[in-house]
Amino acid sequence: MDNAIEISALTKKFPNAEFYSLQGMNLSFPKGQISGLLGPNGAGKTTTISILCGLVKADSGQARVLGMDVARDSTSILGKTGIVTQQVALYPLLTARENLNYIGNLYNIPKKIRKEKIDFFLERFGLTANADKQVRHYSGGMKRRCNIIASLLHEPELLILDEPTAGVDIHSRTMILDFLQEYNAAGNTILYTSHLLEEAERLCKNVAIVDGGKCIVQDNIEALKKQVPGINNLEELFLHYTGRSLRE
Ligand SMILES: Nc1ncnc2c1ncn2[C@@H]1O[C@H](COP(=O)(O)OP(=O)(O)OP(=O)(O)O)[C@@H](O)[C@H]1O
Ligand SMILES: [Mg+2]
């Protein structure tokens, strides 16, 4: 099977940090599926994603996205990949429509198509009625939904989402998860992180459990559950591999 993402022996120590954030991270995620990157706080999920989208440079190791090397081809990668960042990345003083128009313009999407796409996604994400309100007045769920639209305007074949459902209510979450399933059914690949393991179990075919800057285990969820006797669900599996000590 073709992999959308291949990561081998990545290491990263931030200049001001005492410890390595990534200590030889190995991961691979197949094309055409929804995969989960799971791990406790500080495990290295966001650092890994930041390297994949070219925001952070690894100290050593290799990462390939859609067959391209992140160290050399980050512009081409970003043309085919949508990134939904953990922190909402929108201008609070602009309206949703203005934010999306600005981002669509950065991707050189022609004006007429840009407007059609923005209208389509605002409707699909339930934001049409509030499209002309400043984002600073939005609820957490509305900001997250708008943040996702911003990553979709250039129709990426790979969508990477860092905790897209953090802090959102059940209605927004259900909408977001339904959309991700729909986007995957259209042939696109999705990698997402979440601390909500029930949600990940419902959504993902494969998961990687990472901790301390390394991948502990990675496989099809059903196969992983079978490997450990007495495990009934992803939460039990996660605790089995990551233990119960508190993190940062
Ligand atoms: N810019 C930075 N400078 C210094 N240390 C950093 C920086 N970014 C991350 N770290 C450290 O790297 C480690 C991994 O952080 P990272 O944000 O990748 O974890 P995470 O798995 O995304 O956690 P969370 O679930 O809390 O989002 C942590 O110890 C964090 O404090
Ligand atoms: Mg993170």
Side-chain angles (χ1 to χ4, degrees):
M1 194 187 302
D2 248 8
N3 285 325
I5 296 172
E6 284 180 12
I7 291 174
S8 114
L10 272 193
T11 71
K12 175 68 191 175
K13 184 174 171 302
F14 287 97
N16 54 342
E18 205 177 328
F19 304 106
Y20 274 83
S21 298
L22 301 184
Q23 312 197 40
M25 183 70 85
N26 296 306
L27 292 167
S28 58
F29 296 106
K31 266 192 186 161
Q33 293 188 3
I34 306 183
S35 301
L37 177 59
L38 309 176
N41 289 133
K45 303 179 297 293
T46 298
T47 305
T48 302
I49 290 173
S50 303
I51 292 171
L52 292 179
C53 64
L55 274 176
V56 166
K57 203 171 166 314
D59 294 341
S60 63
Q62 283 193 326
R64 296 181 80 78
V65 176
L66 301 170
M68 296 174 275
D69 186 332
V70 296
R72 280 201 316 260
D73 307 319
S74 63
T75 308
S76 309
I77 289 171
L78 288 178
K80 293 184 171 186
T81 306
I83 307 283
V84 179
T85 48
Q86 187 168 0
Q87 308 294 336
V88 170
L90 297 167
Y91 291 99
L93 295 180
L94 298 185
T95 67
R97 202 184 290 282
E98 287 166 346
N99 267 287
L100 296 170
N101 197 40
Y102 174 73
I103 291 159
N105 200 19
L106 290 181
Y107 280 106
N108 293 320
I109 303 170
K111 197 171 174 184
K112 185 167 173 288
I113 299 175
R114 198 160 75 218
K115 184 179 178 321
E116 283 168 9
K117 280 184 191 233
I118 291 171
D119 284 345
F120 169 81
F121 282 119
L122 284 169
E123 187 63 30
R124 178 66 187 84
F125 281 75
L127 291 172
T128 303
N130 292 295
D132 298 310
K133 268 193 198 149
Q134 284 180 324
V135 163
R136 68 184 167 135
H137 297 303
Y138 274 23
S139 69
M142 289 161 76
K143 284 181 190 159
R144 290 251 167 233
R145 281 183 269 143
C146 190
N147 201 37
I148 297 174
I149 301 178
S151 72
L152 291 169
L153 296 175
H154 62 301
E155 295 177 22
E157 63 184 87
L158 169 65
L159 188 57
I160 302 178
L161 307 102
D162 199 351
E163 297 193 38
T165 55
V168 307
D169 68 20
I170 183 72
H171 302 98
S172 278
R173 180 178 314 149
T174 304
M175 188 268 121
I176 292 168
L177 298 183
D178 285 350
F179 174 80
L180 294 182
Q181 276 170 329
E182 201 178 288
Y183 200 66
N184 171 246
N188 301 300
T189 306
I190 293 174
L191 174 66
Y192 110 122
T193 81
S194 177
H195 289 291
L196 302 169
L197 299 177
E198 227 175 275
E199 173 184 303
E201 186 161 8
R202 213 169 77 215
L203 192 67
C204 301
K205 193 151 189 177
N206 313 288
V207 290
I209 298 176
V210 299
D211 198 7
K214 281 186 181 160
C215 178
I216 309 292
V217 70
Q218 162 161 41
D219 207 335
N220 174 283
I221 295 185
E222 292 312 311
L224 283 175
K225 286 198 286 196
K226 281 189 192 129
Q227 282 164 23
V228 186
I231 293 290
N232 298 306
N233 55 42
L234 186 58
E235 184 171 320
E236 288 175 12
L237 190 80
F238 185 89
L239 288 171
H240 171 82
Y241 281 112
T242 59
R244 288 177 180 268
S245 61
L246 292 179
R247 311 306 157 92
E248 56 189 27

